Amino acid sequence: VFSSDSKWDQEEYLNSVGSIIQTELWGKLVNEPRIATSKFTDLFSENQEIINESQKYFTSNTDHYQNVVKKINAVPVPPSWLDIHRQILSGTQTLAVNHQALSRTNEDPLKSLLAMNNLMSMYQDTQPLLVAITQKIKQNKLNPPNGQLWALINSLTNGI
């Protein structure tokens, strides 16, 4: 779904996507590297209850990220934001796929190991994407999305 590149449409896009990032992604991404690593390690436990709990964690996150992908897909995208939008969408889809692979560690341990590695890379790639969003906001003289996350990013990047 596309919209125009008017300032209003760009700010509507930012508010919609910004809200999704802040409410659906950011909290998970801040805590997840530590939790995912612990849950991944638990998948190799001798205790079936612990293994089941970890599988449920990754399955639940798979469902969560698949729902976030649907929400992101529903947002009308101004043409000048298409590249950034694709990065956000691709990153979220990758989160869903990797969590799905991790939920099936008992079926394919090698694939899950690669998925865990990929997840750790994803977490590191988040900051440059947020900086790119901030730069585009400034470049296009837009008002940033509302919320604490965006105020924090703006202060950390000095409004690049």
Side-chain angles (χ1 to χ4, degrees):
V1 181
F2 293 100
S3 67
S4 78
D5 254 337
S6 72
K7 182 176 180 172
W8 190 86
D9 280 346
Q10 289 184 65
E11 288 178 347
E12 281 294 303
Y13 170 77
L14 278 172
N15 283 322
S16 296
V17 168
S19 175
I20 292 168
I21 289 171
Q22 183 164 304
T23 60
E24 306 283 345
L25 294 173
W26 186 248
K28 281 192 160 295
L29 292 177
V30 167
N31 296 310
E32 198 170 46
R34 177 183 50 80
I35 296 169
T37 301
S38 174
K39 294 291 184 185
F40 179 67
T41 302
D42 288 348
L43 289 169
F44 298 95
S45 166
E46 297 293 322
N47 184 330
Q48 191 59 46
E49 206 172 300
I50 291 174
I51 293 170
N52 292 343
E53 183 184 314
S54 292
Q55 286 174 327
K56 285 179 192 171
Y57 170 81
F58 288 117
T59 299
S60 172
N61 279 353
T62 300
D63 295 342
H64 173 76
Y65 289 124
Q66 287 172 341
N67 287 330
V68 174
V69 165
K70 289 176 188 171
K71 289 178 183 181
I72 294 169
N73 266 329
V75 176
V77 184
S80 65
W81 285 86
L82 194 54
D83 286 341
I84 287 176
H85 186 79
R86 285 183 179 143
Q87 289 177 45
I88 295 167
L89 191 57
S90 172
T92 308
Q93 289 168 328
T94 300
L95 288 167
V97 167
N98 286 315
H99 279 87
Q100 186 174 45
L102 287 163
S103 72
R104 298 177 178 161
T105 296
N106 61 338
E107 297 167 25
D108 193 343
L110 181 58
K111 187 175 182 179
S112 69
L113 185 59
L114 294 172
M116 192 65 199
N117 243 359
N118 200 3
L119 271 185
M120 292 303 132
S121 294
M122 285 288 309
Y123 302 138
Q124 293 171 352
D125 293 343
T126 303
Q127 183 182 3
L129 178 58
L130 294 174
V131 169
I133 292 170
T134 304
Q135 288 172 332
K136 188 118 182 118
I137 289 169
K138 185 166 183 148
Q139 172 190 340
N140 293 359
K141 298 177 175 57
L142 304 171
N143 293 314
N146 295 322
Q148 293 177 340
L149 168 65
W150 301 102
L152 174 64
I153 292 168
N154 201 39
S155 70
L156 292 175
T157 60
N158 294 320
I160 295 177

